[in-house]
């Protein structure tokens, strides 16, 4: 039997995502009511610019006083899509303290203060859901913390930023340089006027922190994630990748150490084989590859950003939280029982592709190989080309630690025959 009294929803933010949340709540009201078991009512919308016309939203619901809205006491669920750390953190905490559960899309806040927010939610017996914070419309958080709750996840490898994937895909498919591809992404609306958060990996790093925490039942904060942007990737790097049967993606990688005693979380450009499923992810799409003991290899693919796709994830959480409100229950909270430490980047073991500018004369290759051997880094393949006294030497290693590779490169720079290190890139997905 359906309850007639509606569940009241407060919406914090009414931009690209928030306006879509409001639209879907209105146009799909009957279906949502049937799925939840009660009507849902938009009870208030907090915005910064109240004079802006918002189609489909009753102007009487619009307010600039977000604090008063979340303090009302009759609000069942607060949907937070304003982003940033403050005032979002205070508003979410206040919502819990005044009886509301929260649905958020705020990756930066959750990566920084997720543990504290979960604690406040638990203290007040309320839900904190955030499917939309990691990969837009792609169902990922719920599968990790519910569908795979009985399994052991060992690795999460993914493309979690559509802007960077569009740029790298354009560079790969057309031979364009970084700036040219960025300009096109900006013109098409895929990149912000200031793309720093995307191209320098900050956005992906926040998502990696959230994914690692859920996958490994341990607390992983943004500061724990190694981050390297993609602004230095060149057309020459793509040419080298193609020679290896690879392409280049900006990856978020979260994995258990071989002994299972620690985890790592990192974001950086990497070469991946064209045979890997992630290599075929084009344009602004996202995809995440999950490896676990029992389920094996799983891949989640779809639009990772945009108003409607992100709103889809928000509405999925809203339905789940509203069902919990009706039943008097709460869903899964933070699971950090494993408390695995996060290893530093120096301990990470992977393959490397190193491109060196060297003198074109006898003995250079032997000198370079000796340096690698002295630092315990095994060479897989070497390719050398050159003329007129200058040469390019490309070395692909077997698996080595980041620390040992760093020592190797430092020693290479001291060789008289090495003019410079053109590029260093990790090779993943094998």
């Amino acid at each position: 039997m359906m309850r007639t009294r509606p569940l009241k929803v407060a919406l914090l933010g009414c931009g690209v995502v928030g306006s879509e949340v409001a639209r879907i709540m209105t146009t799909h009201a009957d279906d949502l009511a049937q799925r939840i078991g009660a009507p849902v009512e938009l009870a208030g919308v907090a915005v910064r610019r109240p004079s802006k016309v918002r189609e489909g939203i009753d102007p009487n619901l619009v307010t600039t006083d977000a604090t008063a809205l979340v303090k009302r006491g009759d609000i069942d669920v607060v949907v937070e899509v304003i982003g940033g750390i403050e005032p979002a953190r205070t508003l979410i905490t206040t919502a819990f303290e005044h009886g509301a559960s929260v649905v958020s899309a705020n990756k930066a806040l959750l990566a920084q203060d997720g543990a504290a927010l979960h604690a406040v939610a638990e203290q007040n017996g309320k839900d904190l859901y955030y499917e939309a914070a990691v990969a837009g419309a792609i169902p990922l958080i719920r599968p990790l913390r519910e569908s795979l709750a009985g399994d052991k996840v060992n690795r999460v490898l993914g493309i979690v930023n559509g802007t960077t994937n569009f740029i790298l895909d354009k560079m790969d498919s057309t031979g364009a340089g970084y700036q040219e591809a960025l300009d096109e992404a900006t013109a098409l609306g895929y990149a912000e006027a200031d793309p720093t958060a995307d191209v320098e990996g900050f956005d992906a790093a926040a998502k990696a922190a959230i994914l690692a925490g859920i996958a490994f039942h341990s607390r992983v904060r943004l500061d724990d994630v190694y981050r390297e942007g993609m602004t230095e990737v060149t057309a020459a790097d793509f040419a080298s990748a193609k020679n290896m049967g690879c392409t280049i993606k900006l990856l978020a990688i979260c994995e258990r150490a071989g002994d299972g005693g620690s985890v790592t979380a990192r974001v950086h450009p990497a070469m991946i084989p064209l045979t890997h499923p992630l290599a075929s992810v084009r344009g602004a799409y996202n995809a995440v590859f999950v490896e676990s003991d029992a389920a094996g290899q799983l891949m989640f693919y779809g639009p990772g950003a945009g108003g409607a796709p992100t709103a889809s994830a928000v509405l999925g959480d809203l339905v789940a939280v509203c069902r919990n409100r009706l039943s008097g229950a709460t869903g899964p909270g933070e699971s950090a029982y494993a408390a695995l430490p996060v290893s530093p980047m120096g301990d990470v073991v992977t393959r490397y592709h190193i491109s060196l500018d060297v003198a074109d004369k006898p003995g250079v290759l032997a000198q370079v190989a000796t340096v690698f051997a002295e630092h315990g880094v095994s060479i897989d393949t070497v390719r050398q080309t050159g003329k007129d006294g200058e040469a390019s030497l490309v070395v692909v290693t077997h698996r080595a630690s980041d620390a040992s590779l760093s020592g190797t490169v430092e020693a290479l720079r001291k060789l008289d025959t090495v003019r410079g290190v053109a590029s260093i890139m990790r090779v993943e997905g094998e």
Side-chain angles (χ1 to χ4, degrees), residues 29 31 33 62 68 71 119 157 161 198 283 286 306 355 394:
D31 285 339
V62 176
K71 281 184 174 181
L157 173 77
N161 183 277
D198 295 323
N286 286 190
S355 180
V394 175

Side-chain angles (χ1 to χ4, degrees), residues 298-384:
L298 307 169
M299 183 165 161
F300 301 83
Y301 169 85
T310 304
S312 171
V314 170
L315 267 295
D317 278 351
L318 179 63
V319 169
V321 170
C322 285
R323 287 171 175 170
N324 291 343
R325 297 282 290 195
L326 290 179
S327 65
T330 55
E334 182 191 30
S335 176
Y337 73 90
L340 296 173
V342 182
S343 296
M345 187 62 187
D347 293 347
V348 170
V349 176
T350 188
R351 297 180 67 204
Y352 289 87
H353 176 283
I354 305 102
S355 180
L356 305 171
D357 294 326
V358 300
D360 186 14
K361 63 182 183 180
V364 173
L365 179 57
Q367 286 184 327
V368 169
T370 298
V371 170
F372 276 88
E374 288 174 347
H375 288 81
V377 179
S378 175
I379 294 176
D380 182 15
T381 62
V382 177
R383 186 176 71 255
Q384 183 173 359

